[in-house]
Amino acid sequence: MNRTITIAEYDRIHINDVLQGIKITQKDILELRNFIDESNGEISSLSEYLKPIRNGVQANNYVGVLQTKSGLTIEILPKISRTHQNHVEVKKLFIRMLRTVKQINGKSFDMSHLSEHKNNVLELFISMFISEVDRILKRGLKSDYITTRSNETFLKGKLLLQQQIQHNSVNKAKFYTEFDEFEVDGAENQIIKTTLTYLLSLSHEAKNQRLIREQLLCFENVNVTYNPPVTFQLISKKRQFSYYERAIKWAEIFLKRKSFTSFKGSSLAFALLFPMEAIFEAYIADKMKRAFPDFKVGTQEQQYFLFDGHGGSKSSYRLRPDIIIRSNHESGNVVIVDTKWKLLKADGPSQSDLYQMYAYFTRYRHHSETVVKVILLYPKSDHYGERVFKSFNFSDNQSDLEAKIEVKYIDLFSNNIESQLQNIVADF
């Protein structure tokens, strides 16, 4: 039975809740809470992905899909604003944003081909893997020489004396040998077949199931691996088989159950979770590059430190703004943008965010960069208006701009994201 529910960031689910016609059982909540407990003590904190609450759990700011062993699939979508609660619309936006992600937590992926027309997020990622396997099949399955040990009726390859004595001391007509055979049953193909077999049990969509069965026919002469971690280590890095790379990366996500996160454990059947801050930043950076094709748009620059005389010391605090836009004109103007995946409330930006932007403005100007302004960019909010924070340095009856921090919003559901960004950066 397909038990799939869709929630947003920070939504809560409790025992006996009925969501989209699906009843949440005590076993569902127990497995989710066990997942939280297993994640405790890892690099992440206990409640990074899910937070335990009375008789239930609460989602945090990780989005994607997870499935319990009892069969409950939970799609967690971005929480955009109170005015956008249409899950279909939000899901399409989420996929559009996800397509721009190139790397998360050190893992590189090409998700530019994700289709926003699929209704189920889990099936969407399964179809991505199917597409990668299809690319492999069109190029041809990798064949290679594989070392085999076998008790044969004739001498082939190298005779293994110790095994010969152990197995054939009575039957002298056999030879325990080691030899190389050119075949498709290599580590890469075993990983692909194992992943397809696993996803066949995970998928509930008829089309994906049909495609997986068709692909498995091509792996008839390939064995399933029952120890994927060891098999992953045996994968060859030969350049002529680089077309396997994407499929192997997706297979690692599915089989190792590590997702784009750092959790471990066995309470969940599957989890593919993304930090929403990273998705928002990647999306805005991609749109910025399109909005300003004649400018230099960089991301995660690490050029300067918060303090002078760093000498490579960690305590000097390297600055790492999300997006830097540099003009190619003689002015050399610079705009610094930090994306913040928060729905601002009436009290406005946090003090730490403003301190961070003030540091960017002053330190980049200290290094003779012509910083025009720095921008805190949030998804659209109805509770706090756009505004500008300024500070001045007064000396000799004159005032020089010491810092200019702008709080700006982006309407993610708009069709003219690039025009919005041009207006936000404005007098550049």
Side-chain angles (χ1 to χ4, degrees):
M1 179 180 177
N2 184 13
R3 301 173 62 234
T4 300
I5 63 171
T6 302
I7 63 174
E9 297 172 272
Y10 306 109
D11 280 356
R12 300 181 173 197
I13 59 176
H14 302 86
I15 297 172
N16 295 327
D17 281 350
V18 178
L19 303 173
Q20 295 111 55
I22 305 297
K23 184 175 181 179
I24 308 302
T25 68
Q26 185 175 5
K27 187 176 182 182
D28 293 328
I29 297 300
L30 179 61
E31 289 181 351
L32 291 170
R33 292 177 74 100
N34 285 342
F35 163 61
I36 296 172
D37 291 339
E38 287 173 341
S39 298
N40 191 19
E42 299 297 321
I43 299 173
S44 58
S45 64
L46 169 68
S47 57
E48 185 171 1
Y49 313 111
L50 296 172
K51 178 181 177 181
I53 58 175
R54 183 179 178 84
N55 294 324
V57 297
Q58 178 180 345
N60 277 350
N61 63 332
Y62 275 71
V63 294
V65 61
L66 57 86
Q67 187 179 89
T68 68
K69 286 189 173 180
S70 56
L72 177 67
T73 301
I74 305 175
E75 298 178 342
I76 307 175
L77 299 180
K79 190 177 184 67
I80 308 297
S81 73
R82 294 180 184 274
T83 57
H84 289 99
Q85 295 301 322
N86 185 329
H87 286 324
V88 175
E89 189 179 358
V90 174
K91 196 178 296 184
K92 288 182 178 181
L93 172 64
F94 170 53
I95 299 304
R96 287 199 298 271
M97 297 175 73
L98 200 56
R99 282 200 298 239
T100 64
V101 174
K102 301 293 189 296
Q103 187 179 81
I104 293 182
N105 289 352
K107 295 183 176 72
S108 299
F109 288 87
D110 179 8
M111 290 185 279
S112 59
H113 302 296
L114 287 174
S115 170
E116 62 187 70
H117 301 295
K118 284 237 179 222
N119 293 324
N120 185 292
V121 176
L122 175 56
E123 299 294 347
L124 173 69
F125 291 116
I126 292 175
S127 67
M128 277 290 292
F129 180 74
I130 292 172
S131 296
E132 293 300 335
V133 176
D134 190 56
R135 289 179 64 248
I136 291 173
L137 294 175
K138 288 177 179 177
R139 293 280 300 271
L141 288 182
K142 173 187 174 183
S143 297
D144 208 346
Y145 285 101
I146 299 172
T147 300
T148 302
R149 290 185 174 187
S150 177
N151 209 11
E152 300 288 335
T153 56
F154 56 93
L155 183 60
K156 178 168 63 171
K158 180 174 66 175
L159 182 67
L160 300 177
L161 291 177
Q162 184 176 349
Q163 287 82 356
Q164 175 71 13
I165 295 171
Q166 182 179 351
H167 294 276
N168 298 326
S169 57
V170 176
N171 185 1
K172 307 290 186 180
K174 285 199 171 185
F175 303 89
Y176 206 99
T177 62
E178 180 179 273
F179 52 92
D180 291 337
E181 282 195 329
F182 194 71
E183 55 186 50
V184 296
D185 192 25
E188 294 85 352
N189 292 330
Q190 288 182 3
I191 288 293
I192 299 296
K193 181 172 183 177
T194 304
T195 308
L196 286 171
T197 304
Y198 169 60
L199 294 182
L200 183 60
S201 67
L202 201 65
S203 174
H204 293 286
E205 185 182 273
K207 181 180 178 182
N208 278 349
Q209 290 177 337
R210 175 178 59 80
L211 292 173
I212 290 172
R213 288 192 178 96
E214 291 175 358
Q215 291 182 342
L216 281 171
L217 293 175
C218 300
F219 290 83
E220 185 178 0
N221 296 320
V222 177
N223 290 311
V224 169
T225 174
Y226 295 98
N227 194 347
V230 173
T231 309
F232 275 113
Q233 294 176 2
L234 299 176
I235 289 176
S236 170
K237 302 296 183 182
K238 293 180 181 179
R239 183 176 296 179
Q240 65 265 37
F241 301 120
S242 60
Y243 61 95
Y244 269 76
E245 185 176 354
R246 290 183 192 169
I248 294 297
K249 285 181 178 180
W250 277 109
E252 188 174 13
I253 293 298
F254 287 116
L255 295 183
K256 289 189 176 181
R257 300 177 185 172
K258 283 195 172 184
S259 189
F260 290 92
T261 56
S262 55
F263 71 79
K264 293 181 180 178
S266 57
S267 292
L268 297 184
F270 174 82
L272 187 57
L273 301 171
F274 304 82
M276 195 57 215
E277 297 96 335
I279 294 176
F280 183 50
E281 179 188 328
Y283 185 65
I284 295 301
D286 180 78
K287 294 299 183 181
M288 279 287 190
K289 291 174 182 178
R290 297 174 188 273
F292 298 96
D294 298 326
F295 294 76
K296 296 177 182 177
V297 180
T299 58
Q300 293 291 317
E301 184 176 280
Q302 303 181 51
Q303 191 169 347
Y304 302 125
F305 291 80
L306 184 58
F307 301 106
D308 292 323
H310 55 84
S313 171
K314 185 177 180 180
S315 62
S316 301
Y317 300 101
R318 189 185 295 273
L319 301 177
R320 189 180 296 179
D322 292 340
I323 302 170
I324 302 282
I325 308 171
R326 287 188 169 87
S327 170
N328 289 322
H329 303 144
E330 292 182 4
S331 64
N333 288 347
V334 175
V335 172
I336 300 175
V337 181
D338 246 32
T339 57
K340 301 295 181 183
W341 184 253
K342 302 174 185 177
L343 290 178
L344 277 188
K345 299 180 180 179
D347 53 355
S350 69
Q351 192 175 59
S352 60
D353 286 346
L354 291 173
Y355 283 170
Q356 182 184 35
M357 303 310 288
Y358 183 83
Y360 290 158
F361 191 100
T362 55
R363 291 304 293 171
Y364 270 73
R365 285 172 72 96
H366 175 82
H367 287 279
S368 301
E369 297 257 23
T370 312
V371 181
V372 179
K373 57 187 172 184
V374 292
I375 299 171
L376 279 169
L377 185 61
Y378 298 86
K380 187 175 177 60
S381 171
D382 300 323
H383 305 288
Y384 187 86
E386 293 186 342
R387 64 186 62 187
V388 180
F389 295 89
K390 294 181 181 179
S391 66
F392 294 92
N393 181 23
F394 294 92
S395 61
D396 299 327
N397 297 323
Q398 293 182 341
S399 62
D400 295 322
L401 185 65
E402 190 173 63
K404 182 180 180 183
I405 303 171
E406 298 188 3
V407 176
K408 294 288 187 179
Y409 296 117
I410 188 80
D411 182 359
L412 293 170
F413 287 94
S414 171
N415 292 324
N416 60 345
I417 299 290
E418 293 164 27
S419 298
Q420 285 187 70
L421 293 174
Q422 291 169 349
N423 291 332
I424 287 169
V425 175
D427 52 354
F428 188 49

